[in-house]
Amino acid sequence: IILVRLYLMIIKSSYLTLNWTDKLLLWYSENKRSFIWRTTKEPYHIWISEVILQQTRTSQGLPYYKIFLKAFPLLSDLATADENEVLKLWQGLGYYSRARNLHATAKYIHFECAGIFPSSFDELIKLKGVGDYTASAIASICYDIPEAVVDGNVYRFLARYFGIDTPINSSPAHKLFKAKAMDLIDRQKPGDFNQALMEFGAIQCTPKSPSCKDCPFSIKCVAFNQDKIATLPFKIKKAKIKKRHFNYLVISDKKNRYLIEQRTQKGIWQKLYQFPLLESDQEINNTNSLINHHNFPSIQALSESEIILWNSEPILHKLSHQILWVNFWILPTNESFKEGLSLKQLESLPVPVIIQNFMKIFFSFAP
């Protein structure tokens, strides 16, 4: 116990003599987590990891990272893959535009850039789906270019330490925080600095219950010393959440083939597949209201008594700015669909997670 206390005293005293940036790098060397993407500087691998980890927890993203690199070990493998295959592997991660942009950019680098990954910040930020954050991460980690990253963890740490009350979801925020991080960045180790900055926000300066008592920055932290931890970073109130009612029509023919459609319109789940969708202004909970809806499809040989509401209560599905109330209606028919798909064919298509969960249960009892 005495030796441990002595060690902690030595560490604490060593922090006191360091400047802000060196203090952060020392903390990182002692506390960083071990991730597979931290063992490489291969830009293709770093790019994949950064895109997956946007809007995704690390624990959730790690399995997808491994699956993607197993399926597409080289950029050329991703570039020449079918888009449905890419979306299928992405299934469950959400924000599917990330996967579509990932695929489009891989094709661009492979076919237009001779497979050579861009090596400058200005070239990287021009890529589809690559913004300032991703370009900065790849540039600093892979090419030692001093470009500071700014993400949610960085906003939180810097806002609290420096007492910055500019709303982080306002227009001036990114420029302000980017400039602050650029002032602090270690130009000899920009990759380590950026990862340290994000790691500190992820495991030390957390959104709730940050570890302030053993924080090497607490002495001069504005939020800690002025009791502003709960109020920083500051955010403008979110826009009103949109509420929608989805009615999926699970229509089958006499050979147990199902009608399926692809979402082509912009918005959630673009290019994913689904059962025919009837969206309503209010919840539909009875057969009569369903078939009298103006968008209900014309289906022959189907009586009202054959339509079954699969779930007893609407399934609540929350997205970032939307809440969906979902019903699945089972509609067996005696028709023969020319474009109907078998269960095996359905399972190969990328679908929203709400439909994936339904299929797991419903088709486990299917003939």
Side-chain angles (χ1 to χ4, degrees):
I1 296 175
I2 295 175
L3 289 175
V4 171
R5 288 180 177 175
L6 180 62
Y7 172 76
L8 292 175
M9 289 176 61
I10 294 172
I11 293 298
K12 189 173 183 179
S13 63
S14 66
Y15 276 116
L16 296 175
T17 61
L18 298 175
N19 63 32
W20 196 97
T21 301
D22 289 338
K23 189 182 295 185
L24 177 65
L25 290 172
L26 175 59
W27 176 91
Y28 180 63
S29 68
E30 295 172 344
N31 296 278
K32 65 180 178 181
R33 293 169 293 178
S34 177
F35 294 128
I36 188 171
W37 48 80
R38 286 183 175 162
T39 64
T40 180
K41 286 195 170 187
E42 165 58 45
Y44 172 61
H45 291 191
I46 298 299
W47 173 51
I48 295 292
S49 71
E50 293 299 338
V51 174
I52 286 177
L53 293 177
Q54 292 172 22
Q55 307 291 338
T56 304
R57 298 187 307 275
T58 304
S59 58
Q60 183 187 10
L62 179 58
Y64 283 89
Y65 175 80
K66 292 179 178 178
I67 290 171
F68 251 76
L69 288 187
K70 183 177 181 180
F72 314 119
L74 302 174
L75 185 143
S76 58
D77 297 318
L78 177 57
T80 54
D82 182 80
E83 185 179 60
N84 280 343
E85 184 183 1
V86 177
L87 290 172
K88 184 65 178 177
L89 290 181
W90 196 270
Q91 187 170 287
L93 265 181
Y95 298 93
Y96 288 89
S97 61
R98 292 183 294 170
R100 296 193 298 271
N101 290 336
L102 194 75
H103 190 218
T105 297
K107 290 195 290 185
Y108 170 77
I109 296 174
H110 179 67
F111 293 109
E112 304 296 330
C113 305
I116 300 174
F117 213 97
S119 58
S120 73
F121 176 81
D122 291 338
E123 291 175 323
L124 287 165
I125 204 168
K126 292 177 183 177
L127 298 175
K128 189 172 184 179
V130 173
D132 183 271
Y133 165 81
T134 305
S136 299
I138 298 172
S140 62
I141 295 170
C142 303
Y143 304 117
D144 293 322
I145 298 172
E147 279 288 342
V149 297
V150 178
D151 71 347
N153 290 315
V154 176
Y155 278 131
R156 183 168 56 257
F157 178 25
L158 297 185
R160 285 174 174 170
Y161 181 82
F162 292 103
I164 303 172
D165 57 7
T166 300
I168 61 173
N169 55 346
S170 65
S171 298
H174 183 270
K175 185 177 180 180
L176 189 157
F177 282 87
K178 174 84 173 184
K180 177 64 70 175
M182 286 296 290
D183 289 340
L184 298 166
I185 196 169
D186 188 312
R187 297 185 174 274
Q188 303 303 315
K189 301 176 182 178
D192 285 347
F193 173 85
N194 279 335
Q195 292 184 86
L197 200 56
M198 293 184 287
E199 189 80 332
F200 194 89
I203 66 176
Q204 183 88 26
C205 194
T206 54
K208 295 180 180 179
S209 303
S211 304
C212 297
K213 290 184 178 180
D214 59 352
C215 174
F217 294 94
S218 61
I219 295 177
K220 295 184 178 181
C221 175
V222 172
F224 177 73
N225 290 291
Q226 296 184 12
D227 195 25
K228 293 183 177 181
I229 294 169
T231 59
L232 290 175
F234 179 69
K235 267 189 177 184
I236 299 173
K237 191 175 181 180
K238 290 183 178 181
K240 188 176 180 180
I241 294 177
K242 186 176 182 180
K243 299 177 181 180
R244 307 171 73 178
H245 296 273
F246 279 16
N247 295 274
Y248 286 113
L249 309 180
V250 186
I251 308 171
S252 61
D253 68 4
K254 58 187 178 182
K255 294 183 179 180
N256 289 318
R257 293 178 301 188
Y258 294 82
L259 294 182
I260 203 79
E261 61 187 20
Q262 187 177 34
R263 291 181 67 90
T264 55
Q265 68 272 35
K266 291 184 178 180
I268 60 171
W269 305 329
Q270 185 181 15
K271 291 194 175 182
L272 269 64
Y273 291 82
Q274 63 184 14
F275 297 107
L277 172 63
L278 191 157
E279 185 169 355
S280 55
D281 295 330
Q282 297 179 340
E283 179 190 349
I284 295 177
N285 55 18
N286 63 78
T287 305
N288 185 58
S289 297
L290 180 72
I291 62 177
N292 286 323
H293 191 279
H294 64 279
N295 282 331
F296 188 76
S298 176
I299 304 172
Q300 299 176 2
L302 180 67
S303 67
E304 184 176 327
S305 62
E306 292 176 304
I307 303 176
I308 300 171
L309 177 57
W310 181 75
N311 43 297
S312 58
E313 295 289 338
I315 301 170
L316 183 65
H317 190 67
K318 294 183 179 181
L319 301 172
S320 57
H321 296 91
Q322 299 185 39
I323 295 179
L324 310 181
W325 280 272
V326 180
N327 278 331
F328 288 93
W329 298 86
I330 313 304
L331 288 75
T333 76
N334 291 320
E335 297 184 30
S336 182
F337 302 141
K338 291 182 179 180
E339 297 181 355
L341 300 183
S342 66
L343 171 58
K344 185 175 182 180
Q345 290 172 313
L346 285 177
E347 290 177 336
S348 68
L349 296 176
V351 298
V353 68
I354 188 75
I355 293 180
Q356 180 190 25
N357 293 338
F358 162 79
M359 288 170 57
K360 283 182 180 178
I361 300 173
F362 179 74
F363 287 122
S364 65
F365 298 100

